[in-house]
Amino acid sequence: PVPVLPDDLFLEYSRNGNRTRYQQPNKRRLDRLNLFAWAEALEHSGRFVAALERELGAILEEKTWVLPAHDPKLGNFYGRETGVDLGVAMRGWTVATVLAWHADQLAPATVARTRAELRRRVIAPFLARLHGEPSPDVMWWYRADNNWNAVCHAGIVGTALAVVESRTERAEILAQADVNLQSYLEGFTPDGYCSEGVGYWNYGFGHFLMLAETVAEATGGRLRLMTGERAVHAAAYPANLQIIPGVYPAFADMNVKERPSPWFGALAARLLSPVPAGLPKVELHPAELRDQLLYESALKVFGALTTTGQPPAAVTGGLRDHHWFADAQVYTGRAAPAFGAAIKGGHNAEHHNHNDIGSWVVAVGQTAVLVDPGLEVYTARTFGPDRYVSKVLNSYGHAVPVVAGQLQQAGRQYAAKMISVEFGPAADTLVFDLAGAYVVPSLEHLTRTFTLRRGAAPSVTVTDSVRFTSPSSFGTALITFEAWREISPGIYEIGKGADRVRAAIEVEGASWVFQPEVIQEDLPGSRRPTRLGFNLSAPVRTASIRLTITPP
């Protein structure tokens, strides 16, 4: 049976902030539509037409395609307004693709109603906004510089190209999207850093790439969205963020298990190639045809077929000794083939921001052993005024200092300053001034010196030096999801097998205490990070804490 979406389930978010209980069956409806659309397309015998009619009918009956978390005032739910959000965009392009594939098999009444609903829910709100009419709150993304811009425009343009009959109207929608999407690209720093993290690079930039390919095909190559230095650098972001093969720091709202899509990398390379370039063949199994958005799986399947014989384009970026995102103040480096680290400076008003100035990650073998814990399970708190109550979103859950009992503050003004950077074949050293991340009147000086050493004895050393005008407390931490044990006073082993490191602590200016703590927050997969705290045992005027990390 079609998954049920009763009103009460939609309204649950407005009562208690839970997003997942509605979003799970909501996604299952789309998953089923994806699978039946592929099944009927492959067989073309009519066996799945009734299922398609049933799934489409249920989706067309939904009061709104806007997700509950994006409709807090319930204006879309109660029909007071009709706007486009991420849910509308993804449903729109999916349903439009189904219609483009199967209109000749569906009942005429279903086709007519589907066209009308796509017009009402997707096209009309965008045209109204384009023509300057009052816009629902949910359409704040119109010229935003984050993933919403790319995803929403992709859904609208993809829908328009599939079902809008007027050539003039299609051109109008496409032209406005072309203008608005420049704001999305400006959300990347000039050096290509995506502060939203790898998962949102897949989601936002992935939709931008799929739209760029669709538009290039629709216009015979006359309109190309994937142009300019910012797009080139954004395409190279995953390769440059990689610590060691297959391991990435989970800065911002990123699941620690998230990995960049190789297919999106190949698509970016094709779009940037000065000559025709092919897309790799992708083997998609039924579960993938179900779970992936229909337009994404279609591009993967038909992209390979329509570019057969064309040589693959070179994917931008590559794994070198280090990469430095100078604009974003993010470093990744390799001390050995299977041992490396990352650290970030930046500021505390980034997209999907965590208060994490100075956060660092160490990877060994095939695992990030010392981590940034990444995102929490989204609730109303996550994007509300209490966001930084969460111990994985505030600075307590990151490997950064706690200064005079204070955590880092949120806001653009709370930022790191680069004192120096030095890169060489034997070692890379970066010195950050972290004092600006804290509001502590007695704090006079706080630097973090990060050194990655290569050679016969590779290591990562992080030294915090602090000075106060009056005695104050100070401490720092390591964050891990792995098992750990104390080998001897001040020496710890974290991880297991080849995926483990040894951490040694040295403190000058005071004695110290070790305070391990499991952070009790709701993370994907019910994982709980451990905070290995190293705190000075008494207030100090000056002190330094040095942590040295070595592979097994």
Side-chain angles (χ1 to χ4, degrees):
V2 177
V4 295
L5 287 177
D7 289 357
D8 192 61
L9 205 58
F10 189 101
L11 296 170
E12 184 173 349
Y13 176 82
S14 62
R15 292 195 304 269
N16 61 28
N18 186 290
R19 297 165 60 120
T20 57
R21 277 174 42 81
Y22 179 89
Q23 288 181 187
Q24 287 175 348
N26 175 274
K27 183 181 184 301
R28 283 202 302 272
R29 284 188 171 192
L30 215 55
D31 292 345
R32 291 157 59 93
L33 186 65
N34 295 336
L35 193 58
F36 292 140
W38 270 114
E40 181 55 37
L42 289 165
E43 283 194 2
H44 200 56
S45 66
R47 186 155 70 104
F48 297 100
V49 170
L52 271 174
E53 292 267 6
R54 185 173 65 246
E55 300 299 328
L56 265 178
I59 289 172
L60 298 178
E61 282 292 323
E62 292 168 7
K63 285 187 175 181
T64 179
W65 290 351
V66 175
L67 296 171
H70 305 154
D71 193 28
K73 298 178 182 177
L74 302 176
N76 290 274
F77 179 77
Y78 286 119
R80 296 190 295 268
E81 59 188 25
T82 302
V84 177
D85 77 329
L86 302 173
V88 174
M90 293 185 292
R91 254 167 163 66
W93 199 359
T94 299
V95 169
T97 303
V98 171
L99 196 63
W101 285 9
H102 296 297
D104 59 335
Q105 295 173 283
L106 298 169
T110 300
V111 173
R113 187 181 180 198
T114 303
R115 286 186 174 276
E117 288 299 307
L118 288 170
R119 181 82 188 181
R120 181 178 74 86
R121 296 175 189 256
V122 184
I123 302 301
F126 184 72
L127 288 173
R129 177 68 177 80
L130 189 158
H131 295 147
E133 297 176 22
S135 182
D137 291 344
V138 75
M139 295 187 69
W140 59 267
W141 51 263
Y142 194 67
R143 287 191 178 167
D145 60 355
N146 60 31
N147 69 87
W148 277 65
N149 183 326
V151 176
C152 291
H153 279 102
I156 291 164
V157 174
T159 300
L161 292 176
V163 302
V164 171
E165 296 179 351
S166 166
R167 180 185 178 94
T168 300
E169 200 167 73
R170 292 197 308 272
E172 184 180 28
I173 291 169
L174 206 55
Q176 189 62 53
D178 183 27
V179 171
N180 293 354
L181 283 162
Q182 297 308 307
S183 297
Y184 168 66
L185 289 176
E186 289 169 7
F188 292 83
T189 53
D191 52 23
Y193 185 72
C194 176
S195 69
E196 296 182 288
V198 166
Y200 282 102
W201 184 91
N202 282 337
Y203 185 51
F205 198 63
H207 271 81
F208 176 78
L209 293 169
M210 291 189 289
L211 178 59
E213 175 71 8
T214 303
V215 166
E217 289 295 316
T219 63
R222 291 186 293 276
L223 180 56
R224 296 194 174 275
L225 303 179
M226 188 68 176
T227 58
E229 286 298 309
R230 191 88 60 149
V232 172
H233 294 315
Y237 161 78
N240 292 331
L241 189 70
Q242 193 169 208
I243 301 174
I244 55 178
V247 182
Y248 302 80
F251 296 143
D253 279 350
M254 172 185 158
N255 189 327
V256 293
K257 293 188 175 183
E258 191 84 44
R259 297 295 178 265
S261 162
W263 189 81
F264 285 144
L267 181 57
R270 165 179 160 78
L271 291 164
L272 291 169
S273 176
V275 297
L279 287 168
K281 183 179 179 180
V282 178
E283 297 285 352
L284 294 176
H285 298 279
E288 294 166 306
L289 295 176
R290 178 194 66 209
D291 296 340
Q292 291 185 15
L293 293 158
L294 183 61
Y295 47 87
E296 178 180 342
S297 57
L299 281 163
K300 287 177 177 176
V301 170
F302 298 119
L305 292 174
T306 57
T307 62
T308 299
Q310 297 176 0
V315 175
T316 307
L319 204 61
R320 300 177 294 276
D321 278 353
H322 80 276
H323 185 82
W324 173 232
F325 294 94
D327 298 303
Q329 298 180 350
V330 173
Y331 164 92
T332 58
R334 272 60 61 189
F339 179 61
I343 187 169
K344 74 179 297 292
H347 59 82
N348 280 341
E350 296 170 341
H351 294 315
H352 286 267
N353 180 72
H354 291 198
N355 291 341
D356 60 353
I357 296 169
S359 182
W360 54 291
V361 174
V362 173
V364 63
Q366 299 179 333
T367 304
V369 175
L370 302 177
V371 301
D372 184 301
L375 83 171
E376 67 176 14
V377 173
Y378 287 169
T379 66
R381 182 186 76 170
T382 308
F383 297 105
D386 294 329
R387 176 177 176 86
Y388 298 110
V389 171
S390 168
K391 288 186 177 181
V392 294
L393 305 185
N394 67 27
S395 63
Y396 190 76
H398 296 82
V400 301
V402 176
V403 182
Q406 299 300 306
L407 302 180
Q408 294 184 6
Q409 298 293 304
R412 181 63 180 83
Q413 69 272 34
Y414 301 104
K417 294 180 181 179
M418 290 308 304
I419 296 175
S420 64
V421 293
E422 184 177 348
F423 307 120
D428 300 332
T429 299
L430 302 92
V431 183
F432 299 85
D433 180 349
L434 303 184
Y438 300 85
V439 177
V440 176
S442 63
L443 180 60
E444 197 171 57
H445 169 92
L446 175 58
T447 60
R448 168 159 283 186
T449 301
F450 175 95
T451 301
L452 178 142
R453 292 183 175 84
R454 304 180 181 89
S459 67
V460 172
T461 302
V462 176
T463 304
D464 293 333
S465 299
V466 66
R467 184 171 67 247
F468 296 100
T469 57
S470 58
S472 303
S473 63
F474 186 76
T476 191
L478 299 174
I479 310 295
T480 186
F481 287 108
E482 306 302 317
W484 61 273
R485 65 189 181 98
E486 187 173 21
I487 299 173
S488 59
I491 307 292
Y492 304 86
E493 187 174 81
I494 306 163
K496 59 184 178 181
D499 296 3
R500 74 184 192 278
V501 296
R502 181 166 291 191
I505 181 172
E506 301 171 80
V507 176
E508 296 180 5
S511 59
W512 57 278
V513 293
F514 176 54
Q515 294 180 306
E517 174 187 348
V518 176
I519 295 178
Q520 299 297 334
E521 295 289 357
D522 188 12
L523 276 68
S526 299
R527 307 181 84 198
R528 297 286 186 272
T530 299
R531 184 182 192 273
L532 304 177
F534 304 99
N535 300 314
L536 304 187
S537 53
V540 297
R541 285 182 178 272
T542 63
S544 70
I545 300 177
R546 177 180 295 107
L547 291 163
T548 300
I549 314 300
T550 53

